[in-house]
Amino acid sequence: MVGRLAEWRYSCRKSHRTHYSEWDRSAASDAPAYAEFGNSGSNGLSQTQSPTLEEVMDYISADSGSTWAREPSILSTVTVAPWTSPVEPATQNWASCLSAPAPELIITEQPKQRGMRFRYQCEGRSAGSILGESSTEHSKTLPAISLINCEGIKDVKVSVCLVWKDPPYRIHPHGLVGKDCHDGICEITLHPDEGQTNHSFSNLGIQCVRKKEIETAVKARLSLGIDPYSAGMWRHHEEVDLNVVRLCFQAWYTTAAGQRMPIGRVLSEPVYDKKSTNTSELKICRMNKDHGRCDGGEEIYILCDKVQKEDIQVMFLEGKWEARADFSQADVHRQIAIVLKTPPYHDLHIRDPAPVQVCLQRITDGIRSEGMIFTYMPRCSDSFGLRKKRPCLSSPFEDLNGLDPHGIESKRKKAIPDFREHCNTISDFTPGPFCGLDYLPHMHQMGAGEPTHHEIEDTDENFEALISWIPGELDDLPEAMAFENFLPVTEDEETASVVGLSLALTGRQLPDCAYPEDSRMGGC
DNA sequence: AGTATTATCCC
DNA sequence: CGGGATAATAC
């Protein structure tokens, strides 16, 4: 467990290196604290995955006895104030003295955490608009707050600024732009005495600064007194994580005596930059295969939105069952494609096709993409897989006839395939034999009576004859040499198969169009 | 020095 | 906006 945590920390450091360095430093001097997180159980951290940073934070904040939350030495990089609670009812103390319900500021609609891109100044003033978390494609919501127990107050000033995702919630160099925004913050005045206690923020955009502007931006904000957590400037402030912010809502009112009273200080959930690959939404765009053998090990290509090769896994899911697809970092191509091997299905003896979900999952935060269906096929009842008839194409090269020359359409949204089709692959011939050239005429003979199909008796004799011919172990033949690709269906295909087979046996590249059905990407 | 990723800028 | 080209950095 400790090892896994260390691994998690390592990956965090890699992908958010700058941002977490403060914690890394702390943790280095307090290994036992980390070990304690790893025991999960009652501490609320996930048991099935590495804990997220938030979880660790929650754990820390819940653990008042933690030495390193108070230990001055670990705060050596902090120039101003120590850490304080994220949601702090600032009004609690005096309110209880007055025995009146304390005025409060609450977030009634959190900002949507993902999906909006931070914009540079050079991209224009309109930096988009942060939506509410319950927004859908059809109904938009906005981030919103509500003032509670403020009925009698005339003016309440509300201010929103951006802070770091993590304690001590320093001011963030990025700024808010849009309606009611200036100097990177958004300020409005509400009149609760007139019933105006709610507000939703429309047209709030996040404008990002360039790295070289971080210091200037932070100083500018601090000089305006914007620093809700009095966290000040960090001497390594340029190490801020520029891909995530939190909105910090604050409110004040002025008493009759002219005293300025704070009402609240509330943090939103983190808001992540859509453009950054370590926080963006994950998406599978296409897979080259939507079904396969239930014992797994089949190669599949997935095209996806940009991912980070060291922080991505592909999960196969069905209810509580989860299996991770097998691939290495080298199998992630330019961040947008993954070549993987399917994991075996949990039941190798299924009788019917079993559809499961395939999705991308980021390792560090556990976020998953939407699933795409992949259907596991039963193994064949006849070990040869030859008894089954194979459906006949109207034309073996249908795809070449103009409508879909690249076979793109034909790969889209296929219906759940008939598992018999799947059974015809040579890999069903455990232990992986291969048919010899001289087997083809034999096959032809046997199918002579059938105009569209050839069938071969699944007898032990035939099987023995087949495997006895084979020179050696051919377990690892590429999928392109699947038996179905060589099994003649029509005269044309048979010719193609003979060509294909002979080429395959001589180890030469097959012309794409020699395949009755090209199962590889790209097509003819 | 070359490749892979990220940051910025453009449309 | 979303997509993508290009400059700038990181391995």
Side-chain angles (χ1 to χ4, degrees):
Chain A
M1 198 61 192
V2 175
R4 208 169 70 185
L5 211 80
E7 193 183 312
W8 163 73
R9 287 185 48 234
Y10 174 68
S11 58
C12 280
R13 202 180 313 135
K14 276 201 77 172
S15 51
H16 303 274
R17 176 161 38 88
T18 55
H19 189 60
Y20 294 129
S21 52
E22 194 175 8
W23 292 105
D24 286 343
R25 222 161 297 169
S26 320
S29 63
D30 200 346
Y34 266 101
E36 209 177 311
F37 299 146
N39 290 331
S40 41
S42 61
N43 64 15
L45 300 184
S46 335
Q47 297 183 43
T48 52
Q49 325 166 334
S50 300
T52 65
L53 194 68
E54 277 101 313
E55 286 177 304
V56 174
M57 288 308 170
D58 290 347
Y59 184 67
I60 294 164
S61 58
D63 178 15
S64 56
S66 159
T67 50
W68 58 297
R70 293 173 298 151
E71 169 60 49
S73 68
I74 62 152
L75 295 172
S76 59
T77 55
V78 177
T79 52
V80 182
W83 174 79
T84 46
S85 165
V87 182
E88 179 189 307
T91 53
Q92 205 172 39
N93 291 337
W94 60 265
S96 57
C97 296
L98 297 175
S99 76
E104 245 187 284
L105 169 65
I106 59 168
I107 297 175
T108 49
E109 174 80 3
Q110 287 281 347
K112 199 164 188 285
Q113 292 194 260
R114 289 168 207 278
M116 209 206 46
R117 157 158 142 193
F118 299 179
R119 294 286 182 170
Y120 289 93
Q121 191 168 28
C122 65
E123 295 187 271
R125 69 232 71 217
S126 64
S129 186
I130 304 176
L131 296 175
E133 67 171 344
S134 49
S135 279
T136 63
E137 282 178 57
H138 312 295
S139 73
K140 306 273 183 230
T141 65
L142 295 168
I145 55 148
S146 186
L147 295 170
I148 296 178
N149 305 326
C150 293
E151 290 74 14
I153 305 175
K154 186 161 179 293
D155 294 335
V156 174
K157 196 169 187 180
V158 178
S159 156
V160 194
C161 65
L162 300 179
V163 299
W164 287 21
K165 176 168 88 67
D166 297 312
Y169 305 113
R170 297 177 199 284
I171 196 71
H172 202 288
H174 292 346
L176 284 168
V177 290
K179 195 165 172 241
D180 303 315
C181 295
H182 64 90
D183 301 302
I185 65 172
C186 178
E187 280 189 312
I188 54 162
T189 302
L190 298 180
H191 306 290
D193 61 335
E194 295 170 14
Q196 192 185 25
T197 55
N198 301 318
H199 184 78
S200 48
F201 295 87
S202 59
N203 188 230
L204 261 194
I206 295 174
Q207 186 172 88
C208 52
V209 298
R210 294 183 294 192
K211 285 190 160 168
K212 54 189 69 152
E213 297 162 351
I214 292 175
E215 190 172 339
T216 318
V218 172
K219 281 182 175 165
R221 215 124 318 146
L222 291 177
S223 71
L224 290 172
I226 304 164
D227 187 10
Y229 289 83
S230 306
M233 180 111 187
W234 189 27
R235 65 170 184 265
H236 297 301
H237 210 112
E238 67 278 9
E239 294 190 359
V240 59
D241 187 339
L242 293 175
N243 300 313
V244 55
V245 298
R246 281 184 200 261
L247 308 189
C248 177
F249 298 88
Q250 293 176 278
W252 301 268
Y253 71 98
T254 308
T255 62
Q259 195 184 2
R260 196 180 192 220
M261 303 296 292
I263 289 184
R265 185 173 67 175
V266 184
L267 286 174
S268 76
E269 293 301 312
V271 177
Y272 299 92
D273 183 8
K274 183 183 185 184
K275 189 98 179 190
S276 129
T277 48
N278 55 15
T279 55
S280 62
E281 280 171 311
L282 299 168
K283 185 180 170 197
I284 296 179
C285 305
R286 186 179 293 184
M287 301 194 297
N288 71 323
K289 213 165 179 311
D290 59 8
H291 64 282
R293 19 189 322 140
C294 59
D295 48 354
E298 279 185 300
E299 193 169 86
I300 292 196
Y301 291 15
I302 283 182
L303 301 187
C304 53
D305 279 359
K306 286 224 269 183
V307 297
Q308 294 186 302
K309 61 172 184 270
E310 66 286 327
D311 189 22
I312 195 72
Q313 56 190 14
V314 178
M315 303 302 292
F316 284 61
L317 314 163
E318 183 198 46
K320 284 191 156 181
W321 174 73
E322 299 186 4
R324 192 152 53 92
D326 177 32
F327 65 90
S328 73
Q329 291 189 12
D331 297 320
V332 178
H333 177 75
R334 306 268 166 118
Q335 300 190 290
I336 50 118
I338 302 173
V339 180
L340 55 84
K341 291 265 196 316
T342 57
Y345 187 57
H346 61 79
D347 181 358
L348 300 182
H349 305 292
I350 44 174
R351 293 305 195 104
D352 300 305
V356 304
Q357 299 278 330
V358 184
C359 66
L360 298 171
Q361 179 169 35
R362 196 181 285 123
I363 298 167
T364 48
D365 62 11
I367 298 282
R368 283 178 181 164
S369 71
E370 284 197 14
M372 201 164 257
I373 301 284
F374 178 84
T375 306
Y376 279 109
M377 293 304 179
R379 299 159 101 171
C380 303
S381 49
D382 64 332
S383 57
F384 283 52
L386 300 178
R387 269 205 174 124
K388 310 291 186 184
K389 293 185 177 180
R390 198 165 176 278
C392 183
L393 294 173
S394 58
S395 155
F397 303 124
E398 194 167 46
D399 285 349
L400 291 179
N401 291 341
L403 285 179
D404 186 20
H406 301 286
I408 291 170
E409 284 308 319
S410 65
K411 291 190 179 83
R412 286 199 175 128
K413 309 247 180 219
K414 282 189 193 164
I416 290 180
D418 185 324
F419 68 82
R420 287 174 299 182
E421 177 191 333
H422 162 76
C423 292
N424 277 337
T425 59
I426 191 164
S427 42
D428 284 308
F429 287 82
T430 319
F434 191 63
C435 51
L437 270 178
D438 57 351
Y439 187 57
L440 283 168
H442 176 51
M443 199 150 63
H444 191 195
Q445 273 176 7
M446 300 196 72
E450 277 266 0
T452 54
H453 302 97
H454 298 271
E455 295 183 75
I456 297 167
E457 283 301 305
D458 177 8
T459 61
D460 288 343
E461 289 82 352
N462 277 336
F463 186 66
E464 288 305 322
L466 175 63
I467 62 169
S468 66
W469 185 86
I470 291 149
E473 186 67 26
L474 291 161
D475 240 339
D476 51 357
L477 283 170
E479 183 188 335
M481 292 163 82
F483 187 82
E484 67 179 301
N485 291 328
F486 306 112
L487 184 64
V489 172
T490 64
E491 292 300 312
D492 285 346
E493 282 193 49
E494 186 166 324
T495 306
S497 295
V498 173
V499 172
L501 188 52
S502 69
L503 287 172
L505 288 171
T506 55
R508 281 162 54 200
Q509 187 68 41
L510 277 153
D512 283 352
C513 293
Y515 291 88
E517 183 186 341
D518 190 348
S519 62
R520 295 160 305 162
M521 296 186 80
C524 299

